[in-house]
């Protein structure tokens, strides 16, 4: 089935009437908003309704969790990412999203809109106007106010009813009689699901009678006494519903002092977090490496922190996180902990960039992807407080973001950081290189040329200053030069001082990439050849050298020097296999597939295309998958297999649409694709080709990819 919805919470109870109301509203209205107070179960109801309705939408149901945003700047990028739009197009942010949804019949769920109500309303109105087949299901504490909106107000579970008691039973893992402490707890907590879950956690620890008595003591107090521990409550909860505030405050009071401190500090995480990140960000004072794991376990037992998922990541519900943020503010630590959070993720980004070249590449690529929300949060913090740090962070992760298809976020962060930061040197050169790559992938060749030239200038400036500094450092007070053994050195080789370093190599690789994509293979060959001839070291010595050698291989292919290109590619691929390097290896498989086509060996081309597709699928790179499917379709067409060529080509078109742009690639491949496709269209007949093509285009892209890989293995 198309789409992506999170797994349902197994603790869902009741809501049969509400589900019918939402389902009926979705059948008649294009915008349905479920409203209600925090903790009442809006997300659960929307998720259950979306799962039930998904089969009615040919293009699927798609989920967007807006709690990870603290501003509207990346709203469109997040929604685009949630519908698998790896938007590579320039221009207005909403244009690609509108184009992606224009011809589809799908359900888009926007969860937790309240803190972005106005921008969500604007975006929804624009999308509904552009996409006639779109239906939006939103959750928010108040309506969005868009014309045609149908509002379904969600109340708590009936406090004395069967469903509230059943929820408490399931959450506590015990069977309670309706008459007794459990029933009184449900009434005290007014049937609010989140409040009942917090109470259930305490029942597991203390028993139902103790929990009932504690709630009685707390809730029988005057309202002013109940909530005196919480400052500025109206920033988080509506005034009409204080019961949930009281329940969360009660859980807070029952937490141990270290658990309360950790709760507050964990509120800086906007996405899932692991123990290592929690430790790095939250230790300080009485919370240290020895005490933090116990405090975290206590918060999990109390249902303040959700248990770890299969990857060991934990999270807090937004309502509970907001409570913790209020307490963090009261302690005066908000800025300090936010800075630690930003420093931690800046460090994580730098380690990922440092270890990109080697056996840990795939692990760090996936780590950057898993921590995407908090890397973005850290970037936003640094853009406000430390632009030089922001430039360092985004320069470290932008290439990985671009590989993953997050081109808008990469470009936005790079352009902001480059504008705000005055830093010169390696950090700036690296960011300019990443910006240039991002612009090339977006097809923005004019701005990419400007970025390429700026990158080359910054690289020369940096490496020249580093050589001067090294030379000055190697001189004694009397001007005598000293070698590594601290004795007087002989005359240095002037050529060593002028050899290009990795910054210049990357600048050349960027210039070569731009030349290749604009049909100038000779220019690409000259620019990378010049620096490679002057540089010391082999292709596996650094990521920059490897990238330059990769560009040279593609340039040789474009120049028709196929045997030389193939031999160099095979040598580089063997080096990548030794390094366990994935990205360059995948690109080399693409080149080898193209060489096979040009040499008239479609079977070899298909094998290399399959290897490329396996690699790009592992990297989650939609653009790479689209390019690989084009090569495979061309190889199948060249072999005369018209039906499979049509099937793979239709799947490729689906992936191209997920990038938000029309088919493109290296000029040589486009010409071959058109040539062989015309041949097989004629051989099997235009109607048959179109039928297979359209069936693949409108089917599940992942199924089409699986089919292409499975069938190509048989060939």
């Amino acid at each position: 089935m198309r789409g992506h919805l999170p797994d349902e919470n197994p603790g869902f109870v009741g809501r049969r009437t509400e589900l019918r109301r939402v389902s009926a509203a979705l059948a008649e209205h294009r915008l349905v908003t479920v409203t209600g107070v925090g903790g009442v179960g809006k997300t659960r109801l929307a998720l259950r309704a979306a799962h039930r309705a998904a089969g009615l939408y040919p293009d699927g149901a798609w989920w967007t969790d807006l709690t990870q945003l603290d501003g509207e700047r990346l709203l469109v990028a997040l929604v685009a990412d949630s519908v698998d739009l790896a938007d590579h197009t320039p221009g207005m942010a909403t244009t690609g999203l509108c184009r992606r949804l224009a011809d589809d019949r799908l359900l888009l769920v926007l969860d937790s809109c309240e803190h972005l109500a106005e921008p969500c309303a604007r975006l929804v109105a624009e999308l509904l106007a552009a996409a006639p087949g779109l239906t939006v299901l939103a959750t928010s504490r108040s309506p969005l106010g868009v014309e045609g909106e149908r509002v379904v107000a969600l109340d708590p579970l009936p406090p004395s009813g069967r469903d509230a008691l059943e929820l408490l039973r399931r959450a506590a893992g015990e069977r309670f009689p309706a008459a007794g402490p459990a029933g009184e707890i449900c009434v005290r907590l007014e049937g609010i699901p989140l409040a009942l879950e917090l109470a259930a956690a305490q029942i597991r620890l203390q028993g139902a009678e103790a929990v009932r008595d504690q709630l009685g003591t707390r809730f029988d107090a005057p309202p002013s006494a109940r909530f005196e521990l919480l400052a500025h409550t109206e920033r988080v909860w509506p005034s009409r519903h204080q019961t949930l505030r009281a329940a969360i405050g009660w859980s807070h009071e029952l937490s141990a002092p270290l658990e309360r401190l950790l709760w507050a500090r964990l509120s800086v995480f906007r996405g899932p977090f692991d123990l290592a990140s929690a430790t790095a960000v939250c230790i300080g004072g009485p919370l240290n490496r020895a005490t933090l794991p116990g405090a975290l376990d206590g918060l999990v037992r109390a249902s303040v922190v959700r248990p770890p998922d299969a990857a060991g990541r934990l999270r807090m519900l937004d309502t509970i996180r907001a409570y913790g943020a209020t307490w963090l503010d009261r302690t005066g630590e908000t800025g300090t902990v936010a800075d630690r959070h930003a420093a931690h993720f800046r460090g994580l980004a730098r380690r990922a960039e440092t270890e990109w070249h080697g056996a840990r590449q795939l692990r760090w690529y996936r780590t950057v992807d898993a921590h995407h929300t908090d890397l973005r949060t850290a970037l936003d913090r640094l853009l406000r407080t430390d632009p030089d740090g922001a430039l360092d962070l985004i320069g470290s992760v932008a290439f990985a973001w671009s590989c993953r298809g997050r081109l808008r976020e990469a470009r936005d962060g790079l352009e902001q950081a480059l504008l705000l930061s005055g830093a010169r040197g390696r950090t700036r050169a690296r960011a300019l290189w990443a910006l240039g790559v991002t612009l090339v992938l977006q097809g923005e060749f004019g701005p990419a040329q400007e970025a390429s030239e700026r990158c080359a200038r910054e690289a020369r400036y940096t490496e020249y200053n580093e050589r001067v500094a090294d030379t000055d450092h190697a001189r004694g007070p009397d001007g005598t030069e000293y070698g590594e053994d601290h004795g007087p050195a002989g005359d240095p080789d002037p050529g060593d001082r002028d050899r290009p370093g990795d910054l210049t190599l990357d600048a050349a690789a960027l210039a070569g990439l731009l030349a290749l994509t604009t049909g100038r293979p000779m220019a690409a060959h000259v620019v990378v050849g010049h620096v490679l001839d002057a540089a010391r070291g082999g292709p596996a010595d650094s990521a920059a050298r490897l990238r330059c050698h990769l560009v040279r291989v593609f340039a040789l292919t474009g120049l028709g020097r196929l045997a030389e290109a193939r031999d160099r590619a095979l040598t580089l691929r063997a080096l990548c296999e030794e390094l366990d390097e994935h990205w360059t290896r995948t690109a080399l498989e693409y080149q080898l597939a193209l060489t096979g086509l040009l040499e008239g060996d479609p079977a070899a081309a298909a094998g290399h295309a399959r290897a490329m597709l396996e690699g790009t699928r592992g990297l989650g790179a939609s653009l790479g998958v689209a390019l690989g499917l084009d090569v495979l379709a061309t190889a199948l067409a060249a072999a005369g297999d018209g039906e499979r060529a049509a099937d793979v080509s239709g799947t490729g078109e689906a992936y191209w649409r997920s990038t938000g742009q029309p088919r493109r690639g290296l000029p040589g491949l486009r010409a071959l694709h058109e040539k062989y496709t015309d041949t097989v269209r004629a051989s099997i007949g235009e109607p048959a080709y179109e039928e297979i093509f359209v069936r693949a285009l409108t089917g599940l892209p992942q199924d089409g990819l699986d089919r292409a890989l499975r069938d190509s293995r048989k060939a």
Side-chain angles (χ1 to χ4, degrees):
M1 183 178 293
R2 282 181 180 269
H4 170 71
L5 294 172
D7 293 335
E8 289 193 70
N9 188 317
F12 188 91
V13 173
R15 300 299 196 188
R16 290 171 291 278
T17 300
E18 293 87 344
L19 274 170
R20 286 195 294 269
R21 289 171 58 201
V22 173
S23 298
L26 288 172
E28 298 180 6
H29 302 272
R30 297 183 59 208
L31 171 61
V32 178
T33 303
V34 179
T35 63
V37 298
V40 79
K42 299 184 294 295
T43 297
R44 290 185 186 184
L45 179 64
L47 183 57
R48 173 60 64 94
H51 273 285
R52 286 193 169 188
L56 302 176
Y57 298 90
D59 296 297
W62 306 81
W63 186 270
T64 308
D65 177 9
L66 300 179
T67 61
Q68 56 192 286
L69 297 180
D70 61 358
E72 66 176 289
R73 184 168 57 84
L74 295 173
L75 172 62
V76 177
L78 179 63
V79 176
D81 193 44
S82 73
V83 296
D84 282 355
L85 172 60
D87 189 1
H88 290 65
T89 59
M92 293 296 291
T94 55
T95 303
L97 184 56
C98 288
R99 188 183 300 117
R100 157 72 174 85
L101 302 178
D103 299 323
D104 287 350
R105 287 182 56 202
L106 61 79
L107 175 65
L108 174 63
V109 187
L110 301 178
D111 184 41
S112 300
C113 298
E114 52 270 353
H115 63 303
L116 298 169
E118 290 187 10
C120 279
R122 292 194 299 270
L123 176 61
V124 167
E126 189 168 352
L127 293 179
L128 291 174
L134 173 66
T135 299
V136 177
L137 174 60
T139 72
S140 179
R141 292 182 185 169
S142 58
L144 297 183
V146 176
E147 184 177 355
E149 176 182 30
R150 176 62 182 268
V151 176
V152 177
L154 185 63
D155 293 322
L157 296 169
S160 57
R162 179 177 57 189
D163 290 341
L165 183 63
E166 181 60 24
L167 190 155
L168 189 67
R169 286 170 173 168
R170 291 190 187 183
E174 294 185 31
R175 301 297 299 177
F176 307 113
E184 294 178 48
I185 290 170
C186 294
V187 172
R188 288 283 189 180
L189 295 178
E190 300 183 19
I192 300 173
L194 179 55
L196 293 172
E197 285 192 350
L198 293 172
Q202 294 301 325
I203 289 173
R204 292 195 299 269
L205 297 173
Q206 305 180 60
E209 290 188 11
V211 169
R212 177 201 57 191
D213 294 342
Q214 289 172 15
L215 288 175
T217 301
R218 183 177 182 88
F219 281 70
D220 289 341
S224 60
R226 291 186 208 167
F227 313 117
E228 62 186 2
L229 295 176
L230 180 59
H232 309 299
T233 57
E234 300 313 315
R235 287 168 35 188
V236 184
W237 291 276
S239 59
R240 69 178 184 274
H241 211 305
Q242 297 178 328
T243 298
L244 180 61
R245 286 168 23 202
I248 296 176
W250 167 67
S251 292
H252 189 265
E253 288 178 357
L254 292 176
S255 299
L258 288 183
E259 294 170 358
R260 296 180 198 172
L261 181 59
L262 180 58
W263 182 345
R265 291 177 178 175
L266 286 173
S267 67
V268 298
F269 290 94
R270 298 199 74 88
F273 55 88
D274 53 29
L275 177 60
S277 294
T279 301
V281 173
C282 298
I283 58 173
L287 269 177
N288 53 48
R289 294 183 183 277
T291 59
L292 185 142
L296 185 57
D297 287 345
L299 292 177
V300 172
R301 286 194 301 271
S303 292
V304 171
V305 172
R306 292 307 200 210
D309 60 17
R313 294 172 300 182
L314 308 101
R315 63 185 293 266
M316 282 197 291
L317 293 180
D318 191 52
T319 305
I320 292 176
R321 186 189 65 80
Y323 186 97
T326 301
W327 276 92
L328 188 65
D329 185 55
R330 290 195 66 184
T331 65
E333 287 192 333
T334 298
T336 301
V337 178
D339 288 340
R340 280 209 301 266
H341 176 275
H344 169 68
F345 283 100
R346 178 184 174 187
L348 183 145
R350 295 189 72 177
R351 292 195 300 277
E353 194 270 339
T354 300
E355 300 198 34
W356 177 264
H357 183 63
R360 296 162 68 89
Q361 182 187 87
L362 193 58
R363 174 196 166 188
W364 278 107
Y365 179 84
R366 290 171 176 167
T367 297
V368 167
D369 196 44
H371 291 287
H372 177 68
T373 297
D374 281 290
L375 282 164
R376 194 170 56 199
T377 300
L379 176 62
D380 288 342
R381 173 72 180 176
L382 292 170
L383 285 170
R384 295 191 299 269
T385 63
D386 180 7
D388 293 351
L391 189 67
D392 183 35
L393 187 154
I394 188 62
S396 297
V397 300
F399 184 64
W401 284 7
S402 293
C403 290
R404 186 65 174 80
R406 295 187 169 106
L407 292 178
R408 287 193 182 278
E409 292 180 67
R411 179 177 179 179
D412 178 72
L414 287 164
E415 289 180 338
Q416 284 200 74
L418 285 164
L419 180 65
L420 294 172
S421 171
R424 299 293 305 274
R426 288 187 167 271
T427 300
R428 193 168 200 85
R430 184 181 58 195
L432 286 165
W433 168 76
L435 177 61
V437 172
T438 302
L439 291 167
V440 170
L441 292 175
Q442 284 190 314
E444 290 261 58
F445 299 130
Q449 181 66 43
E450 180 185 352
S452 176
E453 293 169 359
R454 291 170 63 194
C455 177
R457 289 195 298 269
E458 194 68 31
R460 289 193 298 269
Y461 164 87
T462 302
E463 291 179 352
Y464 171 79
N465 284 333
E466 288 177 349
R467 285 193 293 268
V468 170
D470 289 344
T471 300
D472 290 344
H473 181 69
R475 294 181 185 276
D478 60 354
T480 302
E481 291 191 2
Y482 287 80
E484 290 184 0
D485 61 355
H486 304 294
D491 291 337
D493 180 357
D496 286 345
R497 296 181 179 177
D498 296 328
R499 291 188 189 278
D502 281 351
L503 295 179
T504 297
L505 285 160
D506 257 339
L510 171 58
L513 174 65
L514 180 58
L516 286 172
T517 52
T518 52
R520 296 176 292 122
M522 179 58 76
H525 187 265
V526 169
V527 70
V528 297
H530 175 72
V531 295
L532 284 174
D533 290 344
R536 276 185 170 174
D541 287 352
S542 71
R545 282 173 170 77
L546 195 56
R547 284 188 279 260
C548 272
H549 280 276
L550 175 66
V551 170
R552 183 156 67 179
V553 164
F554 275 99
L556 289 169
T557 305
L559 292 171
R561 295 160 60 177
L562 302 181
E564 185 180 357
R566 184 182 63 255
D567 290 345
R568 287 181 180 269
L570 290 171
T571 300
L572 288 177
R573 189 182 67 175
L575 287 173
C576 290
E577 289 172 351
E578 291 178 16
L579 288 167
D580 196 22
E581 201 277 355
H582 292 258
W583 184 84
T584 305
R585 191 193 322 176
T586 296
L588 287 166
E589 296 289 2
Y590 177 72
Q591 183 276 335
L592 286 165
L594 182 58
T595 301
L597 285 170
L598 293 169
E599 290 182 323
D601 189 350
H608 290 300
R610 177 185 59 79
M612 180 208 177
L613 288 167
E614 293 282 12
T616 52
R617 179 165 64 173
L619 292 170
S622 295
L623 178 61
V625 171
L627 288 166
L629 287 168
D630 277 359
V631 179
L632 180 57
T634 305
L636 292 169
D641 193 342
E643 292 184 357
R644 282 201 294 169
D647 183 52
V648 172
S649 189
T651 302
E653 178 64 23
Y655 274 95
W656 276 112
R657 292 187 181 185
S658 78
T659 71
Q661 61 181 353
R663 262 190 168 102
R664 63 182 176 90
L666 293 178
L669 177 62
R670 292 200 297 271
L672 287 172
H673 184 76
E674 291 173 4
K675 171 187 173 182
Y676 290 119
T677 298
D678 288 345
T679 300
V680 296
R681 279 179 180 270
S683 66
I684 69 172
E686 184 73 20
Y689 186 96
E690 280 298 313
E691 180 183 353
I692 297 170
F693 180 92
V694 172
R695 185 166 61 242
L697 171 62
T698 56
L700 291 175
Q702 183 60 54
D703 287 352
L705 177 58
D706 290 342
R707 194 166 55 248
L709 290 171
R710 182 177 61 250
D711 291 345
S712 63
R713 292 189 188 101
K714 297 176 183 177

